PDB file of all heavy atoms in Angstrom:
ATOM      1  N   ILE A1289      -3.359  18.165  14.934  1.00 98.00           N
ATOM      2  CA  ILE A1289      -2.807  17.654  13.669  1.00 98.00           C
ATOM      3  C   ILE A1289      -1.290  17.787  13.723  1.00 98.00           C
ATOM      4  O   ILE A1289      -0.771  18.857  14.063  1.00 98.00           O
ATOM      5  CB  ILE A1289      -3.353  18.435  12.451  1.00 98.00           C
ATOM      6  CG1 ILE A1289      -4.881  18.198  12.315  1.00 98.00           C
ATOM      7  CG2 ILE A1289      -2.640  17.994  11.167  1.00 98.00           C
ATOM      8  CD1 ILE A1289      -5.524  19.088  11.297  1.00 98.00           C
ATOM      9  N   ASP A1290      -0.590  16.704  13.404  1.00 98.00           N
ATOM     10  CA  ASP A1290       0.864  16.835  13.246  1.00 98.00           C
ATOM     11  C   ASP A1290       1.268  16.452  11.836  1.00 98.00           C
ATOM     12  O   ASP A1290       0.626  15.632  11.168  1.00 98.00           O
ATOM     13  CB  ASP A1290       1.607  15.998  14.284  1.00 98.00           C
ATOM     14  CG  ASP A1290       1.671  14.531  13.985  1.00 98.00           C
ATOM     15  OD1 ASP A1290       2.455  14.144  13.094  1.00 98.00           O
ATOM     16  OD2 ASP A1290       0.934  13.738  14.598  1.00 98.00           O
ATOM     17  N   VAL A1291       2.312  17.117  11.365  1.00 98.00           N
ATOM     18  CA  VAL A1291       2.831  16.889   9.990  1.00 98.00           C
ATOM     19  C   VAL A1291       4.318  16.651  10.133  1.00 98.00           C
ATOM     20  O   VAL A1291       5.024  17.417  10.796  1.00 98.00           O
ATOM     21  CB  VAL A1291       2.522  18.080   9.087  1.00 98.00           C
ATOM     22  CG1 VAL A1291       2.972  17.772   7.636  1.00 98.00           C
ATOM     23  CG2 VAL A1291       1.068  18.461   9.131  1.00 98.00           C
ATOM     24  N   ALA A1292       4.813  15.628   9.451  1.00 98.00           N
ATOM     25  CA  ALA A1292       6.210  15.269   9.587  1.00 98.00           C
ATOM     26  C   ALA A1292       6.729  14.512   8.403  1.00 98.00           C
ATOM     27  O   ALA A1292       6.022  13.711   7.783  1.00 98.00           O
ATOM     28  CB  ALA A1292       6.419  14.403  10.841  1.00 98.00           C
ATOM     29  N   THR A1293       7.982  14.790   8.019  1.00 98.00           N
ATOM     30  CA  THR A1293       8.698  13.968   7.066  1.00 98.00           C
ATOM     31  C   THR A1293       9.288  12.822   7.878  1.00 98.00           C
ATOM     32  O   THR A1293      10.469  12.819   8.207  1.00 98.00           O
ATOM     33  CB  THR A1293       9.828  14.757   6.376  1.00 98.00           C
ATOM     34  OG1 THR A1293      10.625  15.407   7.406  1.00 98.00           O
ATOM     35  CG2 THR A1293       9.266  15.880   5.495  1.00 98.00           C
ATOM     36  N   LEU A1294       8.437  11.823   8.196  1.00 97.00           N
ATOM     37  CA  LEU A1294       8.796  10.922   9.277  1.00 97.00           C
ATOM     38  C   LEU A1294       9.469   9.619   8.814  1.00 97.00           C
ATOM     39  O   LEU A1294      10.460   9.232   9.401  1.00 97.00           O
ATOM     40  CB  LEU A1294       7.577  10.597  10.119  1.00 97.00           C
ATOM     41  CG  LEU A1294       7.861  10.133  11.555  1.00 97.00           C
ATOM     42  CD1 LEU A1294       8.618  11.211  12.324  1.00 97.00           C
ATOM     43  CD2 LEU A1294       6.602   9.772  12.282  1.00 97.00           C
ATOM     44  N   THR A1295       8.932   8.956   7.797  1.00 97.00           N
ATOM     45  CA  THR A1295       9.469   7.628   7.508  1.00 97.00           C
ATOM     46  C   THR A1295       9.658   7.380   5.975  1.00 97.00           C
ATOM     47  O   THR A1295       8.816   7.809   5.176  1.00 97.00           O
ATOM     48  CB  THR A1295       8.544   6.525   8.017  1.00 97.00           C
ATOM     49  OG1 THR A1295       7.322   6.515   7.283  1.00 97.00           O
ATOM     50  CG2 THR A1295       8.247   6.703   9.502  1.00 97.00           C
ATOM     51  N   GLY A1296      10.724   6.686   5.642  1.00 96.00           N
ATOM     52  CA  GLY A1296      10.862   6.206   4.295  1.00 96.00           C
ATOM     53  C   GLY A1296       9.849   5.131   3.978  1.00 96.00           C
ATOM     54  O   GLY A1296       9.519   4.910   2.791  1.00 96.00           O
ATOM     55  N   ALA A1297       9.357   4.456   4.998  1.00 97.00           N
ATOM     56  CA  ALA A1297       8.383   3.389   4.793  1.00 97.00           C
ATOM     57  C   ALA A1297       7.108   3.941   4.156  1.00 97.00           C
ATOM     58  O   ALA A1297       6.491   3.290   3.307  1.00 97.00           O
ATOM     59  CB  ALA A1297       8.059   2.706   6.123  1.00 97.00           C
ATOM     60  N   ALA A1298       6.686   5.141   4.559  1.00 97.00           N
ATOM     61  CA  ALA A1298       5.486   5.731   3.955  1.00 97.00           C
ATOM     62  C   ALA A1298       5.715   6.030   2.479  1.00 97.00           C
ATOM     63  O   ALA A1298       4.824   5.888   1.651  1.00 97.00           O
ATOM     64  CB  ALA A1298       5.103   7.011   4.709  1.00 97.00           C
ATOM     65  N   ARG A1299       6.918   6.444   2.149  1.00 96.00           N
ATOM     66  CA  ARG A1299       7.225   6.719   0.710  1.00 96.00           C
ATOM     67  C   ARG A1299       7.313   5.422  -0.065  1.00 96.00           C
ATOM     68  O   ARG A1299       6.903   5.378  -1.233  1.00 96.00           O
ATOM     69  CB  ARG A1299       8.563   7.493   0.621  1.00 96.00           C
ATOM     70  CG  ARG A1299       8.630   8.743   1.473  1.00 96.00           C
ATOM     71  CD  ARG A1299       7.795   9.873   0.941  1.00 96.00           C
ATOM     72  NE  ARG A1299       6.384   9.669   1.006  1.00 96.00           N
ATOM     73  CZ  ARG A1299       5.646   9.784   2.131  1.00 96.00           C
ATOM     74  NH1 ARG A1299       6.203  10.098   3.271  1.00 96.00           N
ATOM     75  NH2 ARG A1299       4.346   9.636   2.091  1.00 96.00           N
ATOM     76  N   SER A1300       7.838   4.372   0.522  1.00 96.00           N
ATOM     77  CA  SER A1300       7.873   3.096  -0.180  1.00 96.00           C
ATOM     78  C   SER A1300       6.469   2.612  -0.457  1.00 96.00           C
ATOM     79  O   SER A1300       6.203   2.011  -1.511  1.00 96.00           O
ATOM     80  CB  SER A1300       8.621   2.073   0.688  1.00 96.00           C
ATOM     81  OG  SER A1300       9.978   2.420   0.816  1.00 96.00           O
ATOM     82  N   ALA A1301       5.552   2.835   0.492  1.00 97.00           N
ATOM     83  CA  ALA A1301       4.171   2.378   0.318  1.00 97.00           C
ATOM     84  C   ALA A1301       3.392   3.221  -0.671  1.00 97.00           C
ATOM     85  O   ALA A1301       2.625   2.697  -1.496  1.00 97.00           O
ATOM     86  CB  ALA A1301       3.463   2.329   1.681  1.00 97.00           C
ATOM     87  N   LEU A1302       3.560   4.558  -0.612  1.00 97.00           N
ATOM     88  CA  LEU A1302       2.661   5.460  -1.298  1.00 97.00           C
ATOM     89  C   LEU A1302       3.351   6.376  -2.295  1.00 97.00           C
ATOM     90  O   LEU A1302       2.673   7.159  -2.993  1.00 97.00           O
ATOM     91  CB  LEU A1302       1.901   6.301  -0.259  1.00 97.00           C
ATOM     92  CG  LEU A1302       1.041   5.538   0.721  1.00 97.00           C
ATOM     93  CD1 LEU A1302       0.428   6.492   1.754  1.00 97.00           C
ATOM     94  CD2 LEU A1302      -0.044   4.749   0.022  1.00 97.00           C
ATOM     95  N   GLY A1303       4.644   6.349  -2.369  1.00 96.00           N
ATOM     96  CA  GLY A1303       5.349   7.252  -3.272  1.00 96.00           C
ATOM     97  C   GLY A1303       5.484   8.627  -2.662  1.00 96.00           C
ATOM     98  O   GLY A1303       5.129   8.897  -1.516  1.00 96.00           O
ATOM     99  N   THR A1304       5.982   9.557  -3.474  1.00 95.00           N
ATOM    100  CA  THR A1304       6.331  10.885  -2.932  1.00 95.00           C
ATOM    101  C   THR A1304       5.190  11.876  -2.919  1.00 95.00           C
ATOM    102  O   THR A1304       5.233  12.883  -2.219  1.00 95.00           O
ATOM    103  CB  THR A1304       7.514  11.476  -3.740  1.00 95.00           C
ATOM    104  OG1 THR A1304       7.113  11.557  -5.134  1.00 95.00           O
ATOM    105  CG2 THR A1304       8.728  10.570  -3.638  1.00 95.00           C
ATOM    106  N   ASP A1305       4.165  11.655  -3.756  1.00 95.00           N
ATOM    107  CA  ASP A1305       3.077  12.634  -3.928  1.00 95.00           C
ATOM    108  C   ASP A1305       1.931  12.432  -2.950  1.00 95.00           C
ATOM    109  O   ASP A1305       1.112  13.339  -2.766  1.00 95.00           O
ATOM    110  CB  ASP A1305       2.513  12.590  -5.342  1.00 95.00           C
ATOM    111  CG  ASP A1305       3.521  13.034  -6.386  1.00 95.00           C
ATOM    112  OD1 ASP A1305       4.574  13.610  -6.014  1.00 95.00           O
ATOM    113  OD2 ASP A1305       3.283  12.799  -7.570  1.00 95.00           O
ATOM    114  N   LEU A1306       1.808  11.249  -2.394  1.00 97.00           N
ATOM    115  CA  LEU A1306       0.649  10.870  -1.643  1.00 97.00           C
ATOM    116  C   LEU A1306       0.949  10.771  -0.154  1.00 97.00           C
ATOM    117  O   LEU A1306       1.587   9.834   0.302  1.00 97.00           O
ATOM    118  CB  LEU A1306       0.115   9.530  -2.161  1.00 97.00           C
ATOM    119  CG  LEU A1306      -1.311   9.092  -1.805  1.00 97.00           C
ATOM    120  CD1 LEU A1306      -2.326  10.118  -2.266  1.00 97.00           C
ATOM    121  CD2 LEU A1306      -1.606   7.734  -2.426  1.00 97.00           C
ATOM    122  N   PRO A1307       0.512  11.767   0.646  1.00 98.00           N
ATOM    123  CA  PRO A1307       0.813  11.708   2.090  1.00 98.00           C
ATOM    124  C   PRO A1307       0.056  10.534   2.737  1.00 98.00           C
ATOM    125  O   PRO A1307      -1.063  10.232   2.386  1.00 98.00           O
ATOM    126  CB  PRO A1307       0.265  13.042   2.605  1.00 98.00           C
ATOM    127  CG  PRO A1307       0.232  13.948   1.413  1.00 98.00           C
ATOM    128  CD  PRO A1307      -0.085  13.047   0.266  1.00 98.00           C
ATOM    129  N   ALA A1308       0.745   9.918   3.703  1.00 98.00           N
ATOM    130  CA  ALA A1308       0.111   8.881   4.505  1.00 98.00           C
ATOM    131  C   ALA A1308      -0.648   9.574   5.646  1.00 98.00           C
ATOM    132  O   ALA A1308      -0.097  10.441   6.329  1.00 98.00           O
ATOM    133  CB  ALA A1308       1.132   7.908   5.030  1.00 98.00           C
ATOM    134  N   LEU A1309      -1.880   9.157   5.828  1.00 98.00           N
ATOM    135  CA  LEU A1309      -2.721   9.716   6.887  1.00 98.00           C
ATOM    136  C   LEU A1309      -3.012   8.663   7.917  1.00 98.00           C
ATOM    137  O   LEU A1309      -3.443   7.564   7.603  1.00 98.00           O
ATOM    138  CB  LEU A1309      -4.044  10.222   6.291  1.00 98.00           C
ATOM    139  CG  LEU A1309      -5.194  10.534   7.246  1.00 98.00           C
ATOM    140  CD1 LEU A1309      -4.856  11.706   8.155  1.00 98.00           C
ATOM    141  CD2 LEU A1309      -6.485  10.758   6.492  1.00 98.00           C
ATOM    142  N   PHE A1310      -2.796   9.018   9.173  1.00 98.00           N
ATOM    143  CA  PHE A1310      -3.179   8.189  10.297  1.00 98.00           C
ATOM    144  C   PHE A1310      -4.067   9.006  11.181  1.00 98.00           C
ATOM    145  O   PHE A1310      -3.847  10.233  11.376  1.00 98.00           O
ATOM    146  CB  PHE A1310      -1.941   7.742  11.097  1.00 98.00           C
ATOM    147  CG  PHE A1310      -0.993   6.864  10.372  1.00 98.00           C
ATOM    148  CD1 PHE A1310       0.002   7.421   9.590  1.00 98.00           C
ATOM    149  CD2 PHE A1310      -1.079   5.475  10.449  1.00 98.00           C
ATOM    150  CE1 PHE A1310       0.912   6.605   8.897  1.00 98.00           C
ATOM    151  CE2 PHE A1310      -0.181   4.669   9.773  1.00 98.00           C
ATOM    152  CZ  PHE A1310       0.802   5.234   8.995  1.00 98.00           C
ATOM    153  N   SER A1311      -5.100   8.401  11.778  1.00 98.00           N
ATOM    154  CA  SER A1311      -5.958   9.122  12.680  1.00 98.00           C
ATOM    155  C   SER A1311      -6.632   8.165  13.663  1.00 98.00           C
ATOM    156  O   SER A1311      -6.948   7.058  13.317  1.00 98.00           O
ATOM    157  CB  SER A1311      -7.043   9.930  11.907  1.00 98.00           C
ATOM    158  OG  SER A1311      -7.849  10.660  12.777  1.00 98.00           O
ATOM    159  N   ASN A1312      -6.871   8.694  14.864  1.00 98.00           N
ATOM    160  CA  ASN A1312      -7.581   7.943  15.879  1.00 98.00           C
ATOM    161  C   ASN A1312      -9.080   8.225  15.825  1.00 98.00           C
ATOM    162  O   ASN A1312      -9.839   7.741  16.683  1.00 98.00           O
ATOM    163  CB  ASN A1312      -7.047   8.266  17.267  1.00 98.00           C
ATOM    164  CG  ASN A1312      -7.259   9.727  17.646  1.00 98.00           C
ATOM    165  OD1 ASN A1312      -7.736  10.519  16.849  1.00 98.00           O
ATOM    166  ND2 ASN A1312      -6.931  10.084  18.879  1.00 98.00           N
ATOM    167  N   ASN A1313      -9.491   8.986  14.814  1.00 97.00           N
ATOM    168  CA  ASN A1313     -10.891   9.454  14.744  1.00 97.00           C
ATOM    169  C   ASN A1313     -11.377   9.249  13.325  1.00 97.00           C
ATOM    170  O   ASN A1313     -10.926   9.916  12.375  1.00 97.00           O
ATOM    171  CB  ASN A1313     -10.973  10.925  15.145  1.00 97.00           C
ATOM    172  CG  ASN A1313     -12.351  11.475  15.211  1.00 97.00           C
ATOM    173  OD1 ASN A1313     -13.035  11.595  14.208  1.00 97.00           O
ATOM    174  ND2 ASN A1313     -12.807  11.791  16.423  1.00 97.00           N
ATOM    175  N   ASP A1314     -12.333   8.346  13.140  1.00 98.00           N
ATOM    176  CA  ASP A1314     -12.815   8.017  11.813  1.00 98.00           C
ATOM    177  C   ASP A1314     -13.465   9.199  11.111  1.00 98.00           C
ATOM    178  O   ASP A1314     -13.338   9.380   9.899  1.00 98.00           O
ATOM    179  CB  ASP A1314     -13.789   6.839  11.867  1.00 98.00           C
ATOM    180  CG  ASP A1314     -13.126   5.526  12.204  1.00 98.00           C
ATOM    181  OD1 ASP A1314     -11.874   5.446  12.029  1.00 98.00           O
ATOM    182  OD2 ASP A1314     -13.804   4.592  12.628  1.00 98.00           O
ATOM    183  N   LEU A1315     -14.214  10.036  11.855  1.00 98.00           N
ATOM    184  CA  LEU A1315     -14.875  11.181  11.232  1.00 98.00           C
ATOM    185  C   LEU A1315     -13.834  12.180  10.746  1.00 98.00           C
ATOM    186  O   LEU A1315     -13.981  12.758   9.647  1.00 98.00           O
ATOM    187  CB  LEU A1315     -15.813  11.839  12.242  1.00 98.00           C
ATOM    188  CG  LEU A1315     -17.043  11.042  12.623  1.00 98.00           C
ATOM    189  CD1 LEU A1315     -17.880  11.774  13.705  1.00 98.00           C
ATOM    190  CD2 LEU A1315     -17.906  10.749  11.417  1.00 98.00           C
ATOM    191  N   LEU A1316     -12.801  12.426  11.542  1.00 98.00           N
ATOM    192  CA  LEU A1316     -11.746  13.354  11.105  1.00 98.00           C
ATOM    193  C   LEU A1316     -11.041  12.770   9.882  1.00 98.00           C
ATOM    194  O   LEU A1316     -10.779  13.537   8.896  1.00 98.00           O
ATOM    195  CB  LEU A1316     -10.745  13.549  12.237  1.00 98.00           C
ATOM    196  CG  LEU A1316      -9.493  14.349  11.896  1.00 98.00           C
ATOM    197  CD1 LEU A1316      -9.826  15.736  11.360  1.00 98.00           C
ATOM    198  CD2 LEU A1316      -8.576  14.447  13.142  1.00 98.00           C
ATOM    199  N   ALA A1317     -10.726  11.502   9.890  1.00 98.00           N
ATOM    200  CA  ALA A1317     -10.063  10.916   8.743  1.00 98.00           C
ATOM    201  C   ALA A1317     -10.924  11.017   7.488  1.00 98.00           C
ATOM    202  O   ALA A1317     -10.443  11.356   6.408  1.00 98.00           O
ATOM    203  CB  ALA A1317      -9.758   9.445   9.038  1.00 98.00           C
ATOM    204  N   ALA A1318     -12.220  10.775   7.648  1.00 98.00           N
ATOM    205  CA  ALA A1318     -13.132  10.875   6.493  1.00 98.00           C
ATOM    206  C   ALA A1318     -13.181  12.289   5.960  1.00 98.00           C
ATOM    207  O   ALA A1318     -13.215  12.514   4.712  1.00 98.00           O
ATOM    208  CB  ALA A1318     -14.542  10.383   6.876  1.00 98.00           C
ATOM    209  N   ASP A1319     -13.200  13.261   6.843  1.00 98.00           N
ATOM    210  CA  ASP A1319     -13.187  14.654   6.398  1.00 98.00           C
ATOM    211  C   ASP A1319     -11.940  14.997   5.615  1.00 98.00           C
ATOM    212  O   ASP A1319     -11.974  15.673   4.567  1.00 98.00           O
ATOM    213  CB  ASP A1319     -13.310  15.603   7.602  1.00 98.00           C
ATOM    214  CG  ASP A1319     -14.660  15.622   8.256  1.00 98.00           C
ATOM    215  OD1 ASP A1319     -15.647  15.098   7.620  1.00 98.00           O
ATOM    216  OD2 ASP A1319     -14.814  16.134   9.369  1.00 98.00           O
ATOM    217  N   LEU A1320     -10.793  14.573   6.138  1.00 98.00           N
ATOM    218  CA  LEU A1320      -9.550  14.855   5.444  1.00 98.00           C
ATOM    219  C   LEU A1320      -9.464  14.200   4.089  1.00 98.00           C
ATOM    220  O   LEU A1320      -9.035  14.793   3.087  1.00 98.00           O
ATOM    221  CB  LEU A1320      -8.360  14.431   6.317  1.00 98.00           C
ATOM    222  CG  LEU A1320      -8.063  15.314   7.508  1.00 98.00           C
ATOM    223  CD1 LEU A1320      -7.148  14.612   8.486  1.00 98.00           C
ATOM    224  CD2 LEU A1320      -7.442  16.643   7.067  1.00 98.00           C
ATOM    225  N   LEU A1321      -9.912  12.950   4.007  1.00 98.00           N
ATOM    226  CA  LEU A1321      -9.891  12.231   2.722  1.00 98.00           C
ATOM    227  C   LEU A1321     -10.847  12.893   1.722  1.00 98.00           C
ATOM    228  O   LEU A1321     -10.497  13.058   0.536  1.00 98.00           O
ATOM    229  CB  LEU A1321     -10.272  10.759   2.938  1.00 98.00           C
ATOM    230  CG  LEU A1321      -9.268   9.921   3.732  1.00 98.00           C
ATOM    231  CD1 LEU A1321      -9.864   8.577   4.065  1.00 98.00           C
ATOM    232  CD2 LEU A1321      -7.973   9.778   2.995  1.00 98.00           C
ATOM    233  N   ARG A1322     -12.028  13.270   2.165  1.00 98.00           N
ATOM    234  CA  ARG A1322     -13.017  13.913   1.300  1.00 98.00           C
ATOM    235  C   ARG A1322     -12.488  15.259   0.782  1.00 98.00           C
ATOM    236  O   ARG A1322     -12.565  15.568  -0.422  1.00 98.00           O
ATOM    237  CB  ARG A1322     -14.327  14.103   2.018  1.00 98.00           C
ATOM    238  CG  ARG A1322     -15.428  14.689   1.126  1.00 98.00           C
ATOM    239  CD  ARG A1322     -16.703  14.937   1.883  1.00 98.00           C
ATOM    240  NE  ARG A1322     -16.539  16.000   2.905  1.00 98.00           N
ATOM    241  CZ  ARG A1322     -16.461  15.763   4.203  1.00 98.00           C
ATOM    242  NH1 ARG A1322     -16.557  14.546   4.699  1.00 98.00           N
ATOM    243  NH2 ARG A1322     -16.320  16.785   5.050  1.00 98.00           N
ATOM    244  N   ASN A1323     -11.956  16.074   1.690  1.00 98.00           N
ATOM    245  CA  ASN A1323     -11.423  17.371   1.292  1.00 98.00           C
ATOM    246  C   ASN A1323     -10.181  17.241   0.430  1.00 98.00           C
ATOM    247  O   ASN A1323      -9.955  18.067  -0.468  1.00 98.00           O
ATOM    248  CB  ASN A1323     -11.149  18.222   2.522  1.00 98.00           C
ATOM    249  CG  ASN A1323     -12.424  18.753   3.149  1.00 98.00           C
ATOM    250  OD1 ASN A1323     -13.328  19.206   2.466  1.00 98.00           O
ATOM    251  ND2 ASN A1323     -12.537  18.687   4.477  1.00 98.00           N
ATOM    252  N   GLY A1324      -9.405  16.212   0.667  1.00 97.00           N
ATOM    253  CA  GLY A1324      -8.253  15.984  -0.176  1.00 97.00           C
ATOM    254  C   GLY A1324      -8.670  15.718  -1.622  1.00 97.00           C
ATOM    255  O   GLY A1324      -8.072  16.271  -2.560  1.00 97.00           O
ATOM    256  N   GLU A1325      -9.689  14.906  -1.824  1.00 96.00           N
ATOM    257  CA  GLU A1325     -10.176  14.664  -3.169  1.00 96.00           C
ATOM    258  C   GLU A1325     -10.778  15.925  -3.783  1.00 96.00           C
ATOM    259  O   GLU A1325     -10.529  16.243  -4.944  1.00 96.00           O
ATOM    260  CB  GLU A1325     -11.242  13.526  -3.133  1.00 96.00           C
ATOM    261  CG  GLU A1325     -10.666  12.153  -2.877  1.00 96.00           C
ATOM    262  CD  GLU A1325      -9.712  11.686  -3.918  1.00 96.00           C
ATOM    263  OE1 GLU A1325      -9.901  12.016  -5.099  1.00 96.00           O
ATOM    264  OE2 GLU A1325      -8.761  10.983  -3.592  1.00 96.00           O
ATOM    265  N   ALA A1326     -11.557  16.658  -2.982  1.00 95.00           N
ATOM    266  CA  ALA A1326     -12.202  17.859  -3.512  1.00 95.00           C
ATOM    267  C   ALA A1326     -11.191  18.921  -3.882  1.00 95.00           C
ATOM    268  O   ALA A1326     -11.409  19.694  -4.853  1.00 95.00           O
ATOM    269  CB  ALA A1326     -13.193  18.405  -2.456  1.00 95.00           C
ATOM    270  N   GLU A1327     -10.093  18.995  -3.174  1.00 95.00           N
ATOM    271  CA  GLU A1327      -9.097  20.035  -3.417  1.00 95.00           C
ATOM    272  C   GLU A1327      -7.977  19.589  -4.352  1.00 95.00           C
ATOM    273  O   GLU A1327      -7.051  20.324  -4.631  1.00 95.00           O
ATOM    274  CB  GLU A1327      -8.454  20.478  -2.089  1.00 95.00           C
ATOM    275  CG  GLU A1327      -9.421  21.118  -1.113  1.00 95.00           C
ATOM    276  CD  GLU A1327      -9.851  22.520  -1.562  1.00 95.00           C
ATOM    277  OE1 GLU A1327      -9.299  23.046  -2.546  1.00 95.00           O
ATOM    278  OE2 GLU A1327     -10.772  23.081  -0.898  1.00 95.00           O
TER     279      GLU A1327
END
């Protein structure tokens, strides 16, 4: 997992509160999205 204040483009798309998630693994992405909602 990497975490970075990487692009203004992500903030333009999603605003400041919502991190942009990219993943090469659908199961991992689904886990992160599900836990994000739960938490």
